[in-house]
Amino acid sequence: MSIAVIYGSTTGMTAEVAANIASALGAECLNVAEVSADTLAGFDALVLGSSTWGAGDLQDDWEANIGVLEGASLAGKKVAVFGTGDSLGFADTFCDAMARLRDAAAAAGATIVGAGPVEGYDGIASRVVENGRFIGLPLDVTNQPELTDSRVAAWVEKLKTELA
Ligand SMILES: Cc1cc2nc3c(=O)[nH]c(=O)nc-3n(C[C@H](O)[C@H](O)[C@H](O)COP(=O)(O)O)c2cc1C
C-alpha cells in the first residue's frame, strides 16, 4: 500500500517530525507547498501534519493549499493527522490545525484514523480533544521535545494497523 506524509512547516519543526513518521512507515514525505490534488490521489492513504499559528490557524502553506484535499477526492482513503504546537503558551488552541486538516479530509470523503487517548498533557482545552480523545497525534515540540520520538514511535505502530 502506498502512503504519503504531507506536511506544512514554517520553522522546520513539523518537517522534521514528518520525515521521521514517513521513514518509520515506509511512506513518501511531501511538503504541501509542492503537491497537487493529482499527486495525492495516487496514494492509498495519507498522513497529514501541520503546525498551528496565530490562534488556532493552519500553517500558511496548508492555508494556501487546503483545496488539494478536496480536489483529490479522498473517498475510500484512510487519513490520519498530526501536529506540532505549544501546549503551555496556547492551551486553548493547542495543535488546533489538526482539527482543520481532519475536517477538510473528512469533507473530501476520507475515513479518519489515528485517534488515541489523551495522555501526557494537562489542561488542554483545544479542538484536538474530542469526546475525551485526541483526534490524532499532537506533539508539544516546544516544551516536551524529549517526548517526541517515543510519542511518534507509539503512534506509528498504531497506524501500521489502522492505515492498512
Ligand atoms: C506567533 C505564534 C503563534 C502560535 N500559535 C500557536 C497556537 O495557536 N497553537 C499551538 O499549539 N502552537 C502555536 N504556536 C507554536 C507553533 O505551532 C510551534 O512552534 C510549532 O512547532 C512550529 O512548527 P513549524 O516550525 O513546523 O511551523 C505559535 C507560535 C508562534 C510564534
Side-chain angles (χ1 to χ4, degrees), residues 23-90:
S23 164
L25 280 175
E28 273 197 54
C29 190
L30 302 169
N31 188 326
V32 68
E34 290 157 15
V35 299
S36 66
D38 282 351
T39 307
L40 294 196
F43 291 95
D44 299 319
L46 302 174
V47 179
L48 310 176
S50 176
S51 47
T52 298
W53 289 89
D57 299 336
L58 273 175
Q59 189 272 341
D60 282 352
D61 296 316
W62 264 119
E63 193 65 60
N65 292 311
I66 191 74
V68 294
L69 295 180
E70 193 158 346
S73 176
L74 301 180
K77 295 188 197 291
K78 291 185 179 165
V79 170
V81 295
F82 72 97
T84 70
D86 172 354
S87 68
L88 296 184
F90 301 92

Side-chain angles (χ1 to χ4, degrees), residues 7-17 49-57 59-60 83-97 126 139-142:
Y7 68 89
S9 181
T10 299
T11 68
M13 307 295 242
T14 313
E16 187 179 330
V17 172
S50 176
S51 47
T52 298
W53 289 89
D57 299 336
Q59 189 272 341
D60 282 352
T84 70
D86 172 354
S87 68
L88 296 184
F90 301 92
D92 291 351
T93 56
F94 176 53
C95 286
D96 262 7
S126 75
L139 295 164
D140 187 340
V141 294
T142 306

Side-chain angles (χ1 to χ4, degrees), residues 92-128:
D92 291 351
T93 56
F94 176 53
C95 286
D96 262 7
M98 288 171 52
R100 292 278 314 279
L101 294 180
R102 189 278 314 270
D103 291 349
T111 300
I112 308 299
V113 301
V118 175
E119 277 173 358
Y121 296 103
D122 291 324
I124 302 300
S126 75
R127 294 187 65 208
V128 82

